[in-house]
């Protein structure tokens, strides 16, 4: 990031998770910019890597959508499920950095820790919360590492950040 740091970085995030008694495991790896680039680094782990989309609607409402990395996501269908006005499109990278304190390529549910104004609505596929996977893997604010969290701890994390959660069923 630039010299004007916004919000918590990786180390501060992991410290806060530990403070909240949320169990995590972090794997360091080279920077990755796609799910396909990340998966080889998680080959010997249990659980599911998540895809994360930072979206906005016509009224500039912001949504952070997370699902299993291999889930088929159609933005038009997602817009209907979340009640987005005028469809959904990707939010600008400047908004991502301003609201979640992260850069493009590092979109993660953990970014909501920096959204202290609760301007971002969190939308999760139910499989990330219903124990379908023993662990779910997200970037910890940077795309040079990946951190696991259990479904129950993910719910605790979202609650601790005071974010509204919308759970949808994509399967």
């Amino acid at each position: 990031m630039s010299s004007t740091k916004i919000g918590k970085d990786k180390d501060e995030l992991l410290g806060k998770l530990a403070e909240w008694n949320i169990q995590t495991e972090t794997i360091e790896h080279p920077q990755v910019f796609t799910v396909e680039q990340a998966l080889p680094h998680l080959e010997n782990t249990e659980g599911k890597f998540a895809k994360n989309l930072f979206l906005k609607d016509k009224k500039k409402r912001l949504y952070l959508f997370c699902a299993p990395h291999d889930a088929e996501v159609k933005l038009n269908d997602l817009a209907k499920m979340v009640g987005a006005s005028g469809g959904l499109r990707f939010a600008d990278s400047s908004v991502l950095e301003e609201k979640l304190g992260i850069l493009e390529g590092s979109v993660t549910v953990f970014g909501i820790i920096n959204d202290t104004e609760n301007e971002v609505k969190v939308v999760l596929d139910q499989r990330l919360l219903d124990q379908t996977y023993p662990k779910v893997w997200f970037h910890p604010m940077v795309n040079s590492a990946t951190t696991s969290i259990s479904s129950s701890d993910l719910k605790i994390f979202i609650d601790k950040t005071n974010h509204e959660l919308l759970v949808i069923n994509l399967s």
Side-chain angles (χ1 to χ4, degrees), residues 50-103:
K51 78 166 86 181
N52 305 273
L53 307 175
F54 188 57
L55 306 166
K56 67 177 180 179
D57 68 9
K58 253 198 167 91
K59 292 185 177 176
K60 298 195 171 141
R61 290 183 296 201
L62 299 171
Y63 302 86
L64 178 62
F65 171 70
C66 309
H69 72 82
D70 52 2
E72 186 177 329
V73 180
K74 294 186 175 124
L75 290 185
N76 287 341
D77 295 344
L78 185 58
K80 289 177 190 138
M81 286 187 226
V82 303
S85 175
L88 288 170
R89 64 198 70 37
F90 289 95
D92 296 333
S93 58
S94 60
V95 178
L96 174 65
E97 189 171 357
E98 177 190 338
K99 301 299 181 193
L100 299 183
I102 49 182
L103 300 175

Side-chain angles (χ1 to χ4, degrees), residues 141-160:
M141 315 304 278
V142 295
N143 60 357
S144 57
T146 305
T147 297
S148 70
I149 188 169
S150 70
S151 296
S152 55
D153 279 348
L154 178 57
K155 177 77 170 83
I156 290 168
F157 170 75
I158 293 166
D159 289 345
K160 291 269 191 191

Side-chain angles (χ1 to χ4, degrees), residues 5-158:
K5 187 182 131 200
I6 300 170
K8 294 186 181 348
D9 63 15
K10 175 184 148 201
D11 292 336
E12 291 167 312
L13 167 73
L14 296 176
K16 185 55 83 173
L17 292 171
E19 182 184 312
W20 289 339
N21 294 314
I22 292 176
Q23 301 295 311
T24 63
E25 174 189 355
T26 299
I27 295 173
E28 306 285 335
H29 52 70
Q31 274 192 315
V32 294
F33 295 93
T34 65
V35 168
E36 291 73 27
Q37 291 173 346
L39 290 178
H41 302 290
L42 303 173
E43 277 180 344
N44 299 314
T45 61
E46 63 174 343
K48 190 66 125 176
F49 186 66
K51 78 166 86 181
N52 305 273
L53 307 175
F54 188 57
L55 306 166
K56 67 177 180 179
D57 68 9
K58 253 198 167 91
K59 292 185 177 176
K60 298 195 171 141
R61 290 183 296 201
L62 299 171
Y63 302 86
L64 178 62
F65 171 70
C66 309
H69 72 82
D70 52 2
E72 186 177 329
V73 180
K74 294 186 175 124
L75 290 185
N76 287 341
D77 295 344
L78 185 58
K80 289 177 190 138
M81 286 187 226
V82 303
S85 175
L88 288 170
R89 64 198 70 37
F90 289 95
D92 296 333
S93 58
S94 60
V95 178
L96 174 65
E97 189 171 357
E98 177 190 338
K99 301 299 181 193
L100 299 183
I102 49 182
L103 300 175
E104 227 172 354
S106 303
V107 179
T108 175
V109 72
F110 294 130
I112 62 172
I113 199 165
N114 289 326
D115 177 32
T116 55
E117 302 295 315
N118 290 24
E119 295 177 74
V120 178
K121 185 174 204 169
V122 180
V123 182
L124 295 184
D125 180 88
Q126 73 172 19
R127 292 171 288 180
L128 301 185
L129 291 174
D130 69 5
Q131 315 293 321
T132 296
Y133 311 109
K135 295 178 181 180
V136 186
W137 295 83
F138 297 93
H139 290 312
M141 315 304 278
V142 295
N143 60 357
S144 57
T146 305
T147 297
S148 70
I149 188 169
S150 70
S151 296
S152 55
D153 279 348
L154 178 57
K155 177 77 170 83
I156 290 168
F157 170 75
I158 293 166

